[in-house]
Amino acid sequence: MKLLVVEDDRLLNNTLCYNLSASGYTVDAAVTRTAAAALCKAQDYDLIVLDVNLPDGNGFDLCREIKERRPDTAVIFLTANDMESDMLKGFELGADDYVTKPFPISVFRKKVSALLSRIRKQTGGDCYTDDMLSINFSELTATLGGEPVIFTPMEYRLLKVLVRNPQIVLTRQMLLEKLWDADENYVDEHALTVAISRIRGKIEAGGLQFIKTVYGMGYMWIGGMKK
């Protein structure tokens, strides 16, 4: 697994790189947005640890550029700001996790390990296909009406849970437990709401509905029914 740490605090950057390297990962470092963007253009990373506030720009813009180029790159945001609006913005851009400074290095290492483990576990050879939508969870590819659709790692995980439980109401709590609690990693309900909305925006066109909201309960996969 190849990782990139983008953090302008050189001491923290060095600490994170040291600990991630000690965990067996190949790690590159950048202290500016410009340097990080150049590294991302030159090579692909499985995970980018990204500070929100950088001396020559912000992490949100860099995340957007990264996701446009390689949507399946995982991103963990680092920030001293724990405002809910910033967290939501990060998740809307496709971030997989959000860590507020200061934080224990042991917790950070576990978050990274859990996230990369979840990404690896997405493989398994299983697919979903109906008249319009096809998803290959082992290759992390999808098409809608024959045209490619790009999902983030979090969206693939959510889709897998939904399609494996068709016509069954899955409460928000059930989805959160299936997606994250197995790795002892907590993500709040806002991330789930954003992920559901993003998936719908990508596949529910032309009067099709794949995910039904069961008000007061949760969501149900109904598989491309006409609205």
Side-chain angles (χ1 to χ4, degrees):
M1 288 286 186
K2 192 168 184 62
L3 281 59
L4 173 63
V5 175
V6 187
E7 165 61 59
D8 65 322
D9 183 324
R10 292 182 182 274
L11 177 59
L12 178 57
N13 194 316
N14 291 339
T15 300
L16 295 177
C17 288
Y18 173 82
N19 280 273
L20 291 171
S21 296
S23 297
Y25 304 116
T26 302
V27 186
D28 289 336
V31 295
T32 65
R33 180 181 181 278
T34 301
L39 285 169
C40 289
K41 288 179 180 178
Q43 57 199 305
D44 292 333
Y45 293 96
D46 298 292
L47 169 65
I48 298 177
V49 180
L50 180 57
D51 190 15
V52 169
N53 297 308
L54 296 168
D56 58 344
N58 68 73
F60 293 133
D61 290 338
L62 180 57
C63 179
R64 185 180 294 108
E65 294 175 9
I66 292 168
K67 289 292 185 178
E68 288 176 353
R69 178 178 176 273
R70 190 171 186 265
D72 56 343
T73 299
V75 175
I76 295 179
F77 272 117
L78 301 179
T79 182
N81 189 347
D82 61 356
M83 287 181 60
E84 180 179 305
S85 59
D86 279 358
M87 292 183 181
L88 287 175
K89 185 174 182 179
F91 287 127
E92 286 169 357
L93 291 172
D96 291 83
D97 209 340
Y98 204 104
V99 182
T100 302
K101 304 174 190 176
F103 52 85
I105 291 296
S106 59
V107 173
F108 172 78
R109 288 176 63 172
K110 190 166 186 178
K111 279 180 172 286
V112 169
S113 176
L115 175 56
L116 293 176
S117 177
R118 289 200 303 271
I119 293 172
R120 285 191 292 263
K121 287 176 183 176
Q122 288 177 145
T123 60
D126 51 330
C127 300
Y128 169 84
T129 303
D130 61 28
D131 291 339
M132 286 295 293
L133 179 65
S134 295
I135 306 173
N136 187 317
F137 290 103
S138 63
E139 297 180 2
L140 300 186
T141 57
T143 60
L144 179 68
E147 296 296 321
V149 182
I150 303 299
F151 296 111
T152 67
M154 180 185 292
E155 290 163 2
Y156 272 113
R157 293 197 301 274
L158 177 54
L159 279 164
K160 180 177 276 191
V161 175
L162 290 168
V163 302
R164 283 183 169 178
N165 297 275
Q167 305 299 324
I168 297 173
V169 178
L170 300 174
T171 68
R172 295 175 66 84
Q173 187 60 39
M174 288 169 61
L175 288 170
L176 289 171
E177 289 174 356
K178 287 179 179 291
L179 289 170
W180 294 289
D181 284 2
D183 293 305
E184 300 179 358
N185 194 30
Y186 175 76
V187 176
D188 63 27
E189 291 195 6
H190 294 300
L192 176 59
T193 300
V194 171
I196 290 286
S197 177
R198 286 171 60 90
I199 290 172
R200 281 175 162 160
K202 294 174 182 179
I203 64 176
E204 293 192 347
L208 292 176
Q209 183 179 18
F210 288 87
I211 303 171
K212 179 180 179 180
T213 299
V214 183
Y215 292 99
M217 296 183 67
Y219 304 96
M220 181 169 63
W221 183 261
I222 57 177
M225 293 180 62
K226 285 288 184 179
K227 294 181 180 179

PDB file of all heavy atoms in Angstrom, residues 13-40:
ATOM      1  N   ASN A  13       4.291  15.958  10.358  1.00  0.00           N
ATOM      2  CA  ASN A  13       4.472  15.229   9.109  1.00  0.00           C
ATOM      3  C   ASN A  13       5.487  14.098   9.297  1.00  0.00           C
ATOM      4  O   ASN A  13       5.241  12.945   8.927  1.00  0.00           O
ATOM      5  CB  ASN A  13       4.934  16.183   8.010  1.00  0.00           C
ATOM      6  CG  ASN A  13       4.827  15.585   6.614  1.00  0.00           C
ATOM      7  OD1 ASN A  13       5.185  14.440   6.392  1.00  0.00           O
ATOM      8  ND2 ASN A  13       4.347  16.373   5.667  1.00  0.00           N
ATOM      9  N   ASN A  14       6.640  14.443   9.900  1.00  0.00           N
ATOM     10  CA  ASN A  14       7.678  13.440  10.121  1.00  0.00           C
ATOM     11  C   ASN A  14       7.198  12.327  11.051  1.00  0.00           C
ATOM     12  O   ASN A  14       7.506  11.144  10.841  1.00  0.00           O
ATOM     13  CB  ASN A  14       8.927  14.096  10.705  1.00  0.00           C
ATOM     14  CG  ASN A  14       9.638  14.991   9.715  1.00  0.00           C
ATOM     15  OD1 ASN A  14       9.468  14.850   8.504  1.00  0.00           O
ATOM     16  ND2 ASN A  14      10.437  15.929  10.209  1.00  0.00           N
ATOM     17  N   THR A  15       6.426  12.708  12.067  1.00  0.00           N
ATOM     18  CA  THR A  15       5.914  11.720  13.022  1.00  0.00           C
ATOM     19  C   THR A  15       4.960  10.749  12.347  1.00  0.00           C
ATOM     20  O   THR A  15       5.036   9.529  12.550  1.00  0.00           O
ATOM     21  CB  THR A  15       5.200  12.426  14.192  1.00  0.00           C
ATOM     22  OG1 THR A  15       6.126  13.286  14.864  1.00  0.00           O
ATOM     23  CG2 THR A  15       4.657  11.416  15.184  1.00  0.00           C
ATOM     24  N   LEU A  16       4.045  11.296  11.544  1.00  0.00           N
ATOM     25  CA  LEU A  16       3.089  10.441  10.839  1.00  0.00           C
ATOM     26  C   LEU A  16       3.808   9.520   9.858  1.00  0.00           C
ATOM     27  O   LEU A  16       3.501   8.319   9.783  1.00  0.00           O
ATOM     28  CB  LEU A  16       2.061  11.300  10.106  1.00  0.00           C
ATOM     29  CG  LEU A  16       1.139  12.146  10.983  1.00  0.00           C
ATOM     30  CD1 LEU A  16       0.229  13.011  10.102  1.00  0.00           C
ATOM     31  CD2 LEU A  16       0.297  11.269  11.899  1.00  0.00           C
ATOM     32  N   CYS A  17       4.735  10.064   9.091  1.00  0.00           N
ATOM     33  CA  CYS A  17       5.463   9.255   8.114  1.00  0.00           C
ATOM     34  C   CYS A  17       6.253   8.144   8.799  1.00  0.00           C
ATOM     35  O   CYS A  17       6.281   6.998   8.319  1.00  0.00           O
ATOM     36  CB  CYS A  17       6.399  10.136   7.292  1.00  0.00           C
ATOM     37  SG  CYS A  17       5.558  11.215   6.122  1.00  0.00           S
ATOM     38  N   TYR A  18       6.893   8.470   9.913  1.00  0.00           N
ATOM     39  CA  TYR A  18       7.677   7.475  10.645  1.00  0.00           C
ATOM     40  C   TYR A  18       6.790   6.325  11.113  1.00  0.00           C
ATOM     41  O   TYR A  18       7.126   5.149  10.947  1.00  0.00           O
ATOM     42  CB  TYR A  18       8.368   8.134  11.842  1.00  0.00           C
ATOM     43  CG  TYR A  18       9.065   7.136  12.744  1.00  0.00           C
ATOM     44  CD1 TYR A  18      10.340   6.662  12.433  1.00  0.00           C
ATOM     45  CD2 TYR A  18       8.441   6.665  13.898  1.00  0.00           C
ATOM     46  CE1 TYR A  18      10.975   5.730  13.249  1.00  0.00           C
ATOM     47  CE2 TYR A  18       9.071   5.737  14.725  1.00  0.00           C
ATOM     48  CZ  TYR A  18      10.330   5.274  14.390  1.00  0.00           C
ATOM     49  OH  TYR A  18      10.946   4.353  15.199  1.00  0.00           O
ATOM     50  N   ASN A  19       5.657   6.672  11.707  1.00  0.00           N
ATOM     51  CA  ASN A  19       4.769   5.651  12.250  1.00  0.00           C
ATOM     52  C   ASN A  19       4.114   4.814  11.157  1.00  0.00           C
ATOM     53  O   ASN A  19       3.937   3.600  11.314  1.00  0.00           O
ATOM     54  CB  ASN A  19       3.702   6.298  13.127  1.00  0.00           C
ATOM     55  CG  ASN A  19       4.213   6.625  14.509  1.00  0.00           C
ATOM     56  OD1 ASN A  19       4.174   5.792  15.410  1.00  0.00           O
ATOM     57  ND2 ASN A  19       4.712   7.842  14.699  1.00  0.00           N
ATOM     58  N   LEU A  20       3.749   5.447  10.049  1.00  0.00           N
ATOM     59  CA  LEU A  20       3.148   4.698   8.946  1.00  0.00           C
ATOM     60  C   LEU A  20       4.175   3.786   8.276  1.00  0.00           C
ATOM     61  O   LEU A  20       3.872   2.655   7.907  1.00  0.00           O
ATOM     62  CB  LEU A  20       2.535   5.661   7.932  1.00  0.00           C
ATOM     63  CG  LEU A  20       1.300   6.430   8.408  1.00  0.00           C
ATOM     64  CD1 LEU A  20       0.912   7.501   7.396  1.00  0.00           C
ATOM     65  CD2 LEU A  20       0.129   5.487   8.661  1.00  0.00           C
ATOM     66  N   SER A  21       5.399   4.280   8.144  1.00  0.00           N
ATOM     67  CA  SER A  21       6.459   3.444   7.579  1.00  0.00           C
ATOM     68  C   SER A  21       6.743   2.254   8.485  1.00  0.00           C
ATOM     69  O   SER A  21       6.974   1.138   8.011  1.00  0.00           O
ATOM     70  CB  SER A  21       7.738   4.272   7.390  1.00  0.00           C
ATOM     71  OG  SER A  21       7.549   5.304   6.449  1.00  0.00           O
ATOM     72  N   ALA A  22       6.712   2.495   9.808  1.00  0.00           N
ATOM     73  CA  ALA A  22       6.939   1.418  10.770  1.00  0.00           C
ATOM     74  C   ALA A  22       5.842   0.361  10.695  1.00  0.00           C
ATOM     75  O   ALA A  22       6.060  -0.789  11.090  1.00  0.00           O
ATOM     76  CB  ALA A  22       7.037   1.992  12.184  1.00  0.00           C
ATOM     77  N   SER A  23       4.665   0.764  10.187  1.00  0.00           N
ATOM     78  CA  SER A  23       3.552  -0.176  10.043  1.00  0.00           C
ATOM     79  C   SER A  23       3.629  -0.970   8.743  1.00  0.00           C
ATOM     80  O   SER A  23       2.757  -1.794   8.466  1.00  0.00           O
ATOM     81  CB  SER A  23       2.217   0.583  10.103  1.00  0.00           C
ATOM     82  OG  SER A  23       2.046   1.199  11.369  1.00  0.00           O
ATOM     83  N   GLY A  24       4.662  -0.678   7.936  1.00  0.00           N
ATOM     84  CA  GLY A  24       4.870  -1.450   6.719  1.00  0.00           C
ATOM     85  C   GLY A  24       4.396  -0.797   5.436  1.00  0.00           C
ATOM     86  O   GLY A  24       4.440  -1.424   4.378  1.00  0.00           O
ATOM     87  N   TYR A  25       3.942   0.460   5.510  1.00  0.00           N
ATOM     88  CA  TYR A  25       3.469   1.145   4.311  1.00  0.00           C
ATOM     89  C   TYR A  25       4.609   1.909   3.631  1.00  0.00           C
ATOM     90  O   TYR A  25       5.554   2.356   4.288  1.00  0.00           O
ATOM     91  CB  TYR A  25       2.355   2.135   4.665  1.00  0.00           C
ATOM     92  CG  TYR A  25       1.188   1.514   5.393  1.00  0.00           C
ATOM     93  CD1 TYR A  25       0.874   1.889   6.695  1.00  0.00           C
ATOM     94  CD2 TYR A  25       0.397   0.546   4.794  1.00  0.00           C
ATOM     95  CE1 TYR A  25      -0.194   1.321   7.375  1.00  0.00           C
ATOM     96  CE2 TYR A  25      -0.672  -0.027   5.463  1.00  0.00           C
ATOM     97  CZ  TYR A  25      -0.955   0.373   6.757  1.00  0.00           C
ATOM     98  OH  TYR A  25      -2.009  -0.198   7.424  1.00  0.00           O
ATOM     99  N   THR A  26       4.487   2.084   2.324  1.00  0.00           N
ATOM    100  CA  THR A  26       5.383   2.968   1.582  1.00  0.00           C
ATOM    101  C   THR A  26       4.807   4.371   1.650  1.00  0.00           C
ATOM    102  O   THR A  26       3.655   4.586   1.249  1.00  0.00           O
ATOM    103  CB  THR A  26       5.509   2.513   0.119  1.00  0.00           C
ATOM    104  OG1 THR A  26       5.995   1.175   0.080  1.00  0.00           O
ATOM    105  CG2 THR A  26       6.446   3.427  -0.648  1.00  0.00           C
ATOM    106  N   VAL A  27       5.569   5.326   2.160  1.00  0.00           N
ATOM    107  CA  VAL A  27       5.018   6.644   2.470  1.00  0.00           C
ATOM    108  C   VAL A  27       5.831   7.754   1.810  1.00  0.00           C
ATOM    109  O   VAL A  27       7.059   7.782   1.907  1.00  0.00           O
ATOM    110  CB  VAL A  27       4.982   6.887   4.000  1.00  0.00           C
ATOM    111  CG1 VAL A  27       4.264   8.202   4.307  1.00  0.00           C
ATOM    112  CG2 VAL A  27       4.303   5.729   4.716  1.00  0.00           C
ATOM    113  N   ASP A  28       5.139   8.668   1.135  1.00  0.00           N
ATOM    114  CA  ASP A  28       5.728   9.908   0.649  1.00  0.00           C
ATOM    115  C   ASP A  28       5.186  11.066   1.481  1.00  0.00           C
ATOM    116  O   ASP A  28       4.128  10.939   2.113  1.00  0.00           O
ATOM    117  CB  ASP A  28       5.388  10.136  -0.826  1.00  0.00           C
ATOM    118  CG  ASP A  28       6.120   9.178  -1.747  1.00  0.00           C
ATOM    119  OD1 ASP A  28       7.189   8.672  -1.348  1.00  0.00           O
ATOM    120  OD2 ASP A  28       5.616   8.928  -2.864  1.00  0.00           O
ATOM    121  N   ALA A  29       5.892  12.193   1.447  1.00  0.00           N
ATOM    122  CA  ALA A  29       5.485  13.355   2.244  1.00  0.00           C
ATOM    123  C   ALA A  29       5.496  14.618   1.409  1.00  0.00           C
ATOM    124  O   ALA A  29       6.289  14.765   0.474  1.00  0.00           O
ATOM    125  CB  ALA A  29       6.415  13.520   3.445  1.00  0.00           C
ATOM    126  N   ALA A  30       4.586  15.529   1.747  1.00  0.00           N
ATOM    127  CA  ALA A  30       4.536  16.855   1.126  1.00  0.00           C
ATOM    128  C   ALA A  30       4.091  17.850   2.186  1.00  0.00           C
ATOM    129  O   ALA A  30       3.285  17.507   3.054  1.00  0.00           O
ATOM    130  CB  ALA A  30       3.575  16.874  -0.057  1.00  0.00           C
ATOM    131  N   VAL A  31       4.614  19.070   2.130  1.00  0.00           N
ATOM    132  CA  VAL A  31       4.234  20.093   3.109  1.00  0.00           C
ATOM    133  C   VAL A  31       3.443  21.227   2.472  1.00  0.00           C
ATOM    134  O   VAL A  31       3.003  22.151   3.156  1.00  0.00           O
ATOM    135  CB  VAL A  31       5.474  20.661   3.837  1.00  0.00           C
ATOM    136  CG1 VAL A  31       6.140  19.584   4.675  1.00  0.00           C
ATOM    137  CG2 VAL A  31       6.460  21.270   2.848  1.00  0.00           C
ATOM    138  N   THR A  32       3.232  21.163   1.154  1.00  0.00           N
ATOM    139  CA  THR A  32       2.442  22.179   0.463  1.00  0.00           C
ATOM    140  C   THR A  32       1.466  21.508  -0.499  1.00  0.00           C
ATOM    141  O   THR A  32       1.649  20.355  -0.903  1.00  0.00           O
ATOM    142  CB  THR A  32       3.332  23.144  -0.356  1.00  0.00           C
ATOM    143  OG1 THR A  32       3.969  22.409  -1.411  1.00  0.00           O
ATOM    144  CG2 THR A  32       4.380  23.801   0.528  1.00  0.00           C
ATOM    145  N   ARG A  33       0.445  22.264  -0.867  1.00  0.00           N
ATOM    146  CA  ARG A  33      -0.537  21.776  -1.835  1.00  0.00           C
ATOM    147  C   ARG A  33       0.119  21.536  -3.184  1.00  0.00           C
ATOM    148  O   ARG A  33      -0.176  20.548  -3.873  1.00  0.00           O
ATOM    149  CB  ARG A  33      -1.659  22.803  -1.953  1.00  0.00           C
ATOM    150  CG  ARG A  33      -2.774  22.442  -2.916  1.00  0.00           C
ATOM    151  CD  ARG A  33      -3.813  23.560  -2.950  1.00  0.00           C
ATOM    152  NE  ARG A  33      -4.919  23.259  -3.833  1.00  0.00           N
ATOM    153  CZ  ARG A  33      -4.914  23.421  -5.148  1.00  0.00           C
ATOM    154  NH1 ARG A  33      -3.819  23.895  -5.744  1.00  0.00           N
ATOM    155  NH2 ARG A  33      -5.974  23.136  -5.879  1.00  0.00           N
ATOM    156  N   THR A  34       1.017  22.443  -3.589  1.00  0.00           N
ATOM    157  CA  THR A  34       1.684  22.330  -4.883  1.00  0.00           C
ATOM    158  C   THR A  34       2.513  21.065  -4.975  1.00  0.00           C
ATOM    159  O   THR A  34       2.457  20.329  -5.976  1.00  0.00           O
ATOM    160  CB  THR A  34       2.587  23.557  -5.120  1.00  0.00           C
ATOM    161  OG1 THR A  34       1.781  24.751  -5.070  1.00  0.00           O
ATOM    162  CG2 THR A  34       3.275  23.471  -6.469  1.00  0.00           C
ATOM    163  N   ALA A  35       3.284  20.795  -3.926  1.00  0.00           N
ATOM    164  CA  ALA A  35       4.126  19.593  -3.919  1.00  0.00           C
ATOM    165  C   ALA A  35       3.270  18.327  -3.937  1.00  0.00           C
ATOM    166  O   ALA A  35       3.580  17.351  -4.630  1.00  0.00           O
ATOM    167  CB  ALA A  35       5.035  19.604  -2.696  1.00  0.00           C
ATOM    168  N   ALA A  36       2.168  18.343  -3.189  1.00  0.00           N
ATOM    169  CA  ALA A  36       1.284  17.181  -3.140  1.00  0.00           C
ATOM    170  C   ALA A  36       0.640  16.932  -4.495  1.00  0.00           C
ATOM    171  O   ALA A  36       0.541  15.783  -4.949  1.00  0.00           O
ATOM    172  CB  ALA A  36       0.217  17.390  -2.074  1.00  0.00           C
ATOM    173  N   ALA A  37       0.191  17.997  -5.146  1.00  0.00           N
ATOM    174  CA  ALA A  37      -0.440  17.854  -6.460  1.00  0.00           C
ATOM    175  C   ALA A  37       0.528  17.266  -7.474  1.00  0.00           C
ATOM    176  O   ALA A  37       0.151  16.425  -8.300  1.00  0.00           O
ATOM    177  CB  ALA A  37      -0.956  19.217  -6.937  1.00  0.00           C
ATOM    178  N   ALA A  38       1.796  17.697  -7.408  1.00  0.00           N
ATOM    179  CA  ALA A  38       2.811  17.169  -8.329  1.00  0.00           C
ATOM    180  C   ALA A  38       3.047  15.681  -8.090  1.00  0.00           C
ATOM    181  O   ALA A  38       3.163  14.902  -9.039  1.00  0.00           O
ATOM    182  CB  ALA A  38       4.114  17.944  -8.157  1.00  0.00           C
ATOM    183  N   LEU A  39       3.102  15.272  -6.827  1.00  0.00           N
ATOM    184  CA  LEU A  39       3.283  13.856  -6.510  1.00  0.00           C
ATOM    185  C   LEU A  39       2.099  13.022  -7.003  1.00  0.00           C
ATOM    186  O   LEU A  39       2.276  11.923  -7.532  1.00  0.00           O
ATOM    187  CB  LEU A  39       3.467  13.675  -5.003  1.00  0.00           C
ATOM    188  CG  LEU A  39       4.823  14.088  -4.430  1.00  0.00           C
ATOM    189  CD1 LEU A  39       4.769  14.108  -2.899  1.00  0.00           C
ATOM    190  CD2 LEU A  39       5.919  13.139  -4.906  1.00  0.00           C
ATOM    191  N   CYS A  40       0.884  13.550  -6.833  1.00  0.00           N
ATOM    192  CA  CYS A  40      -0.320  12.818  -7.239  1.00  0.00           C
ATOM    193  C   CYS A  40      -0.421  12.676  -8.755  1.00  0.00           C
ATOM    194  O   CYS A  40      -1.009  11.713  -9.249  1.00  0.00           O
ATOM    195  CB  CYS A  40      -1.569  13.508  -6.687  1.00  0.00           C
ATOM    196  SG  CYS A  40      -1.763  13.354  -4.893  1.00  0.00           S
TER     197      CYS A  40
END
